[in-house]
Amino acid sequence: MAAVKKAPSTIYGYNSFCPGCGHGIVIRLIAEVVEEMGLAEDAIGVLAVGCSCLTNRYLALDLLQAAHGRAAASAGAIKRCRPDKLVFTYQGDGDAASIGIAETLYSAQRNENFTQIIVNNGVYGMTGGQMSPTSLVGQKTTTSVKGRDPEIMGMPLKISELISHFDVSYLARGSVHDAAHIRKTKTYIRKAFETQMNQGGYTCVEIISPCPTNWHLTPLQAVDRIEKEVLEYYPVGEIKGGAR
Amino acid sequence: MVHINSEKCKACGYCVKACPKGALAFGENVNGKGYHAVTVDEEKCVSCGTCYTVCPDTVFTIEEG
């Protein structure tokens, strides 16, 4: 019997993410889009430090492990050397919006022709659930044990809104908390990759993703939290370039 | 029909919640990782593929027939 829906062939083995982690969904979406575009042999991914680097043992594309926060700088350089390749970064919020915020913003400012995928789960996952710049107000983490206090820690950082100040080609925020948003997020990734391959310039998709382990919730509670709390602060949709 | 790779399942429950026909449930047996892997009631399943879409662990393959 012919399979009508099956995992992309560039995904292999078992991933080592926690139960309910959104990374597995986002990686699958990237793999699906890359294969549908026929670019599996011409895609180069740049991985960040953090849970996102576990992609190394799960996705059979050419992948580079960048230094912490520097994925955008590495991807820009690769794209300049090989403009015919599909170049993307795969980063978490702790990497792209904190340690690597300079690389993120200056790639956007220069309109470097690659795609930045930022998985925003509002916490430093791999290092044990510390507060990240994108943690919500009141969110309890190992470094904000009474909840994030904006008086001391400031308001959560909206990285897509920051990037939107620059003249970038395509910018969208998606989510992977339910089937409808997952399908929508896939179209965002596809538009970003197509814009890049048309030499359009900098493209970025921020993706809201659950981290049940470090949110101290069950997976189903975590996706409920996204729907009820997270999307209120981080609204999804196309921010720039959606009409093209 | 839907094919389930039980060994990949981490029992997050996304598919059980998302299934529009209520065809999925956690099984009684545990897999090699110690999770109660999801099982399908083939009488109820309409092969819509929603489980494939929401699964973080590529447990599902949807086949014709």
Side-chain angles (χ1 to χ4, degrees):
Chain A
M1 278 182 287
V4 286
K5 273 191 180 179
K6 63 171 186 172
S9 57
T10 46
I11 282 183
Y12 65 97
Y14 299 80
N15 72 47
S16 46
F17 298 115
C18 305
C21 175
H23 274 297
I25 301 172
V26 182
I27 295 166
R28 194 195 73 225
L29 294 181
I30 292 171
E32 285 175 357
V33 172
V34 166
E35 287 192 12
E36 285 166 14
M37 292 174 72
L39 293 171
E41 298 293 321
D42 293 298
I44 302 172
V46 184
L47 305 179
V49 169
C51 291
S52 59
C53 73
L54 296 173
T55 309
N56 250 331
R57 296 177 186 170
Y58 190 53
L59 183 62
L61 298 176
D62 286 332
L63 299 169
L64 172 81
Q65 172 72 66
H68 206 346
R70 315 301 176 234
S74 303
I78 292 169
K79 186 69 181 185
R80 285 187 186 201
C81 295
R82 299 299 302 270
D84 54 320
K85 301 293 182 188
L86 173 74
V87 181
F88 66 92
T89 71
Y90 187 73
Q91 303 172 264
D93 51 294
D95 190 270
S98 177
I99 300 149
I101 192 168
E103 283 74 9
T104 298
L105 294 183
Y106 276 104
S107 295
Q109 182 259 341
R110 294 193 304 270
N111 206 16
E112 294 277 356
N113 188 27
F114 70 91
T115 301
Q116 205 164 359
I117 307 284
I118 302 173
V119 180
N120 179 0
N121 57 16
V123 76
Y124 282 90
M126 184 175 270
T127 50
Q130 291 85 0
M131 189 186 78
S132 85
T134 55
S135 300
L136 292 184
V137 169
Q139 184 174 334
K140 289 181 180 172
T141 70
T142 52
T143 49
S144 58
V145 289
K146 293 181 180 173
R148 181 178 186 144
D149 179 358
E151 293 287 317
I152 303 167
M153 300 146 180
M155 290 296 285
L157 187 80
K158 293 184 172 183
I159 189 69
S160 288
E161 278 75 357
L162 273 176
I163 294 169
S164 72
H165 291 293
F166 300 107
D167 186 22
V168 297
S169 300
Y170 183 79
L171 178 62
R173 183 187 284 123
S175 172
V176 291
H177 73 283
D178 64 22
H181 283 87
I182 291 169
R183 290 191 195 101
K184 199 79 183 165
T185 300
K186 184 178 172 182
T187 67
Y188 296 160
I189 294 172
R190 175 137 195 156
K191 280 189 190 178
F193 284 177
E194 285 176 347
T195 302
Q196 180 196 149
M197 295 312 283
N198 293 329
Q199 308 301 322
Y202 179 88
T203 52
C204 176
V205 184
E206 178 188 356
I207 300 165
I208 305 296
S209 173
C211 179
T213 299
N214 288 305
W215 292 0
H216 311 292
L217 299 172
T218 66
L220 292 180
Q221 289 170 336
V223 290
D224 274 352
R225 175 177 183 260
I226 290 182
E227 195 173 337
K228 290 173 183 160
E229 294 177 37
V230 183
L231 295 193
E232 200 172 303
Y233 191 79
Y234 296 112
V236 293
E238 291 175 315
I239 300 167
K240 279 207 167 180
R244 76 179 59 218
Chain B
M1 61 179 288
V2 60
H3 174 75
I4 295 176
N5 185 342
S6 303
E7 285 305 308
K8 283 187 163 185
C9 182
K10 296 173 188 159
C12 65
Y14 291 166
C15 56
V16 177
K17 183 188 177 196
C19 179
K21 295 292 177 184
L24 296 167
F26 296 120
E28 288 182 9
N29 299 329
V30 293
N31 64 15
K33 289 185 175 145
Y35 297 111
H36 286 274
V38 73
T39 56
V40 62
D41 180 345
E42 289 181 6
E43 294 287 309
K44 292 181 181 172
C45 176
V46 294
S47 303
C48 66
T50 305
C51 50
Y52 170 88
T53 303
V54 299
C55 180
D57 300 295
T58 60
V59 167
F60 299 96
T61 304
I62 315 297
E63 294 170 335
E64 282 175 4

